[in-house]
């Protein structure tokens, strides 16, 4: 396996491990957390932000940090985690409609 593929695999594996266990234990339900963040941002901005959009914007924050602060492995790991949470949250709301 090529070195880049191993790194990509490590990044995704680590993101899954973090999202599935410590973050869930520390912060509770991903859907509730994303919804609460979106509600706070919506109130602050004065227009509605969907919960999955809040998670996509969290990934963008990590992209910005990576671009401006140089390489840190946790930025890529967190980007993958936020993308996964955005997908789960969007699926949750799609299932309800």
């Amino acid at each position: 396996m090529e070195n880049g593929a191993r790194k990509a695999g490590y990044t995704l594996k680590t993101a899954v491990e973090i999202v599935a266990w410590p973050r869930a234990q520390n912060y509770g339900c991903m859907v509730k957390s994303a919804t609460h963040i979106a509600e706070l941002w919506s109130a602050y901005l004065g227009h509605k932000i969907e919960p999955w959009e809040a998670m996509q914007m969290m990934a963008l924050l990590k992209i910005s940090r990576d671009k401006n602060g140089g390489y840190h492995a946790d930025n890529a790991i967190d980007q993958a985690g936020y993308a996964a949470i955005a997908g789960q949250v969007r699926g949750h709301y799609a299932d309800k409609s």
Side-chain angles (χ1 to χ4, degrees):
M1 181 183 292
E2 169 187 325
N3 189 28
R6 276 183 285 199
K7 287 182 182 178
Y10 170 80
T11 297
L12 292 171
K13 180 179 179 283
T14 304
V16 167
E17 290 169 356
I18 290 170
V19 168
W21 180 245
R23 296 294 194 273
Q25 290 297 314
N26 292 337
Y27 303 113
C29 173
M30 288 179 248
V31 174
K32 286 183 183 178
S33 180
T35 301
H36 187 241
I37 291 167
E39 289 169 349
L40 290 171
W41 288 4
S42 294
Y44 181 80
L45 294 170
H47 66 274
K48 185 171 174 62
I49 301 294
E50 297 295 345
W52 58 88
E53 292 173 321
M55 295 301 95
Q56 291 168 337
M57 287 187 282
M58 293 297 291
L60 288 171
L61 175 128
K62 298 306 266 187
I63 291 167
S64 176
R65 285 185 179 170
D66 201 47
K67 179 175 172 52
N68 295 315
Y71 175 77
H72 298 281
D74 71 307
N75 286 330
I77 292 165
D78 288 347
Q79 287 171 43
Y82 285 124
I85 293 168
Q88 180 174 334
V89 171
R90 185 134 195 196
H92 170 81
Y93 282 99
D95 291 345
K96 291 181 97 175
S97 57

